[in-house]
Structure formats: C-alpha cells, structure tokens
Amino acid sequence: MNIEQVEELISSKQFQQLKYFQEKTNVFTIVGQTHTEHWHSAFISWLLDPNSSLCLGHYPLVRLLTLYMIKSEATDLSLKTVFNMNLDSVRFETEKTFFTADRKKRSIDVYGESHELVLVIENKVKARENMNGTHVGQTKDYRDYVEGHRKKGQRVICLFITPDLRQKPYDKRYTQITYQELYDYVIAKCIEHPQLNKEGRYLLEQYANNLREPVHGSPMALVNTSLCNEIYDLHSEVLDEIFIDVEKSGDYSDDDKLSCVVYSRYQSILDEIYLSLDEKHYGRTPKSNVRRRAVSFTDLYNAGKIQNGTEFFMEYDGVYHYAIAEYDEQDKECYMLLLDENRQPYFNGKGEKIGFYKASSQAGIDAVNIYRKNNHIETKLKTLNGPSYWKTKNGVAIKALIDTL
C-alpha cells in the first residue's frame, strides 16, 4: 500500500459520502437521548401512525405487518387481509398504562388499535424484560390484558423489538423483530418513498444515523451497508492491508506504519465499513471491539430451532462432512461438534472429545482442511459461508434456521 492508494480511497466520492453521513449533526445525540427506550418508542409510534406528519399514510404500518408475516410462524394474517383492513383508522399511543388482576401496574411501550386490529409492541433497547417482582414477565401481562379486552373481530399482534437477538420475550407468542430488520423493511423503505416530505426525510435520516450508535458494544442497526460494500469492492486491497496491519499492531495509534496512521485518522469510518461487510470478509472491527451480531447455536437451541443431537452435514468439493449439536447443561451453551467421516467425535490424547465450535463457518473450514491434510492436498481452505453450506439431515440450511428467528 502506498500514499497514492490511500489518497484514492479517502478522496473517493463513496468514502467522503460515508464520512459526511457520520459527521452530520444528530438531533438525538444533541439532546442526549440516543438510546432511551421511551424515545425509541415515541419515534416508532410516530412512524407507524397513519396520521403522522410523514404524510405516508398507512404505508409504514403495512411494511411492519408484512415483516410480521415474514418473521411469524402464525398463519392468522395474510397480505389480502392486510390490504382489506382500514389501517388509516389505527390510533397509536405510547406508555398505555393498565393494572393487572393482582394490581400490578404495567405500561405497554407502543399500542395501536382499531376495530380490526390491536398491535402491542414491547421495545427493549438496553434493559432486560421486567418481571416486576414476580415469576411472570411483562410481555405475558400485556398479552393477557389485550386478549381480555379485545373486541369481537379484532386481531391481536404482539411484537418484541430489540437490537439483540439473544434478548427473548418471556411470552413466546410475541414475534421478535430486530432494529436491523425494522430499519431494512420499514425505515429505509420510507426514506425511499417518493411522497415523503422534506421534514419527514430529515427526521428519518436523523433517526437512522442514531441507530449507528452502539448498544452493548454493537450498533442497533447498520444503515450504510450498501455504501460500505461498494467502498470495499472498489478498494479491497487497501482495506485488507489496513485491517491486517491494525489487527497485528500492539498499539496502532502510536504505530508509524501508513496503514495504522490512516486507521487512527479515520477509525470510525473504517470500522463501519468492516462491520458492514459479511462475516466471509470481516463483519467486525480490526481490534474486535465491536462485532456484527451473530446468531449462535445457543440462540438456535433456545429458540427451539435445533435440539441436543441435531445432525448436520456439509458437501464441499464432492466430499461430505458431518457434525452434531451438543448442549452443555453445566454452562447452558450449545455447540457444533465436528465428526469424522464415520460420524464419530474426535478425541485428544486424554480421551476427551474435541472439535466444539460456536461458529459453523470455522467448523466447516476445519472439516475441509482435515480432509485435505489426510489426503495430502496442500491447498488450505481459508473462508467458508458455513450457515449456507451446513444443513440438517432434512436438508434445511443453518442460514434458513437463522432467518426464521
């Protein structure tokens, strides 16, 4: 890498555009309300309200209901039904307060109602679900309340919106939606809508910019992925060298190497680029301070998508490789256990099972490289999209299981 290549990167239209997006003044940051749940709930309520100043009518609400149909396993709603609803009559409010039968005070984050629909949204940004001193979570109290008060003909839809897939609702009847999905399916589509007014565009873009701010070490949503991937496609050689050098450096901020100097100057921009790439490339920052949120085997196990003993296979270059899900009762974690060609575990010299993985990609890479080593093939596999290659014995890819969460 030389100064000319660096100059080509940082002066490019795409890089400067990303820099501009990052440096734009964010009204949420100004008022110190980047990640309070009440502010996010108020914004979601305004976004979905057919009578809001967005002037998009019920379009955002249709997008959310469509996302619900994609994510939910329930068959109680169809696109035809949604199109036949009078969604303009849905009225929204935040912090809808009620008392349970045993006098517990509860407040629903976002509540929408019409004579056809009741929409309950529990919004979790930082905190875990509130049990309110009992063994029953608030999501069940909300569901019980609306089920007990709904009118004839009303459909009840309950959503659990969170930046973290690992954060599950107590009531399993809720459909979980991440902030990344909320951005991709609803907010981004509204920003692209030709009827969006100038004020609405400003507020949506401000909110999207706010979603880049980290919660528990990761952004709530990646909102510039297309632009970041375009930058990487154009400057992959330089970006690869910067990543490798910074990762190896003991103190990149004090390192005179050109790549480390560039990273120190443009760290936030470069971090967003690396984070926005898929895991095949990076999907994390050079120092791993921030990572893309990844669904683990424990997440799939807790969601009931796999069980202890679920079998997996992978075909690569005409060779089959095998693995099995194994749940550790002691540490409450589920792992992918790599198996040999006879579908038996590998053991170390002490007779202990080895080959436990949290990520299917690395399990696949090691399986292929073990086979190649045993068959005197010198070329090593370096990258693999494990979730797409590994499948259950019924032929369902891990990626498909992840997509149903």
Side-chain angles (χ1 to χ4, degrees):
M1 182 174 70
N2 55 43
I3 188 65
E4 287 82 5
Q5 290 174 303
V6 170
E7 176 63 19
E8 185 178 350
L9 167 66
I10 64 178
S11 65
S12 68
K13 177 181 68 176
Q14 295 85 354
F15 191 90
Q16 287 300 314
Q17 187 175 6
L18 182 59
K19 183 173 182 289
Y20 169 71
F21 287 154
Q22 284 201 5
E23 293 175 351
K24 281 173 64 176
T25 303
N26 181 353
V27 66
F28 293 93
T29 304
I30 291 174
V31 297
Q33 301 289 342
T34 53
H35 287 325
T36 62
E37 288 180 358
H38 179 72
W39 274 65
H40 284 284
S41 297
F43 183 89
I44 291 171
S45 179
W46 171 77
L47 172 69
L48 299 177
D49 188 348
N51 298 294
S52 77
S53 58
L54 274 178
C55 298
L56 295 182
H58 57 249
Y59 177 74
L61 182 55
V62 171
R63 295 297 307 165
L64 182 67
L65 293 176
T66 302
L67 177 57
Y68 162 76
M69 288 185 283
I70 293 172
K71 294 296 299 286
S72 174
E73 297 178 355
T75 57
D76 61 331
L77 194 65
S78 67
L79 198 57
K80 181 178 180 181
T81 304
V82 170
F83 287 162
N84 287 334
M85 283 183 173
N86 179 17
L87 295 177
D88 288 334
S89 65
V90 180
R91 294 295 178 265
F92 283 91
E93 60 180 296
T94 56
E95 301 298 321
K96 179 179 176 59
T97 302
F98 66 92
F99 289 90
T100 63
D102 55 353
R103 302 307 297 167
K104 290 184 296 184
K105 184 179 179 180
R106 291 297 203 189
S107 296
I108 300 174
D109 290 335
V110 180
Y111 179 84
E113 183 177 8
S114 70
H115 68 282
E116 298 169 299
L117 178 68
V118 175
L119 181 62
V120 174
I121 297 178
E122 173 60 7
N123 179 33
K124 284 298 176 192
V125 177
K126 292 182 178 180
R128 297 291 176 180
E129 181 166 349
N130 179 15
M131 306 298 282
N132 206 23
T134 71
H135 66 284
V136 177
Q138 61 195 131
T139 48
K140 186 177 187 304
D141 284 340
Y142 300 163
R143 180 89 189 199
D144 290 346
Y145 170 78
V146 296
E147 290 286 1
H149 289 80
R150 71 171 175 174
K151 303 177 182 66
K152 183 178 179 180
Q154 284 183 323
R155 297 172 184 270
V156 175
I157 294 176
C158 296
L159 305 178
F160 188 80
I161 301 181
T162 172
D164 190 349
L165 270 174
R166 296 168 296 183
Q167 206 167 335
K168 301 294 181 183
Y170 176 88
D171 190 325
K172 302 305 180 186
R173 293 171 295 178
Y174 280 66
T175 297
Q176 186 172 23
I177 290 174
T178 65
Y179 267 90
Q180 185 68 60
E181 291 167 331
L182 181 68
Y183 173 78
D184 290 339
Y185 283 87
V186 184
I187 298 172
K189 299 302 180 184
C190 290
I191 292 175
E192 296 171 358
H193 200 289
Q195 284 183 222
L196 182 65
N197 59 36
K198 184 176 180 180
E199 175 191 294
R201 183 177 304 280
Y202 171 78
L203 290 173
L204 290 181
E205 289 178 347
Q206 288 281 296
Y207 186 74
N209 192 41
N210 183 65
L211 292 179
R212 293 176 50 258
E213 299 292 328
V215 170
H216 300 312
S218 293
M220 292 182 70
L222 297 166
V223 301
N224 297 310
T225 52
S226 296
L227 179 59
C228 289
N229 276 272
E230 183 181 355
I231 294 171
Y232 182 77
D233 289 342
L234 292 170
H235 308 279
S236 58
E237 182 180 343
V238 175
L239 290 167
D240 285 345
E241 188 168 341
I242 292 172
F243 189 98
I244 293 169
D245 288 347
V246 171
E247 190 170 45
K248 290 180 178 179
S249 177
D251 183 5
Y252 64 84
S253 61
D254 196 39
D255 197 319
D256 292 334
K257 191 173 291 185
L258 179 59
S259 52
C260 293
V261 172
V262 174
Y263 182 78
S264 296
R265 177 65 178 84
Y266 298 105
Q267 180 175 351
S268 64
I269 302 168
L270 292 167
D271 278 352
E272 183 168 357
I273 295 171
Y274 295 129
L275 195 61
S276 296
L277 303 173
D278 61 34
E279 292 182 7
K280 177 182 177 182
H281 292 103
Y282 294 111
R284 63 183 178 91
T285 63
K287 289 299 184 181
S288 301
N289 296 322
V290 180
R291 289 181 179 269
R292 288 192 73 169
R293 297 200 181 278
V295 178
S296 68
F297 281 90
T298 304
D299 295 327
L300 292 173
Y301 177 88
N302 290 337
K305 302 300 179 181
I306 61 175
Q307 291 79 41
N308 186 34
T310 297
E311 299 175 15
F312 300 95
F313 74 92
M314 177 185 75
E315 182 184 6
Y316 193 88
D317 283 347
V319 178
Y320 282 87
H321 306 277
Y322 304 96
I324 193 170
E326 186 159 313
Y327 186 72
D328 189 315
E329 291 285 353
Q330 185 173 349
D331 62 10
K332 305 300 181 185
E333 294 283 345
C334 189
Y335 300 93
M336 187 179 216
L337 176 62
L338 202 60
L339 305 178
D340 63 21
E341 65 273 14
N342 297 315
R343 305 191 189 192
Q344 296 299 314
Y346 292 92
F347 293 89
N348 61 18
K350 298 179 181 179
E352 301 166 329
K353 279 193 290 190
I354 58 174
F356 290 95
Y357 294 84
K358 290 187 176 181
S360 60
S361 295
Q362 191 58 54
I365 291 170
D366 287 355
V368 172
N369 287 335
I370 289 171
Y371 171 83
R372 291 182 175 181
K373 181 180 179 181
N374 292 339
N375 288 271
H376 309 292
I377 301 172
E378 294 184 3
T379 306
K380 284 188 176 182
L381 183 66
K382 295 182 178 179
T383 61
L384 178 78
N385 186 356
S388 295
Y389 273 95
W390 285 106
K391 299 178 181 179
T392 67
K393 65 178 182 180
N394 296 323
V396 180
I398 291 177
K399 183 180 184 302
L401 297 177
I402 292 172
D403 289 343
T404 63
L405 292 177

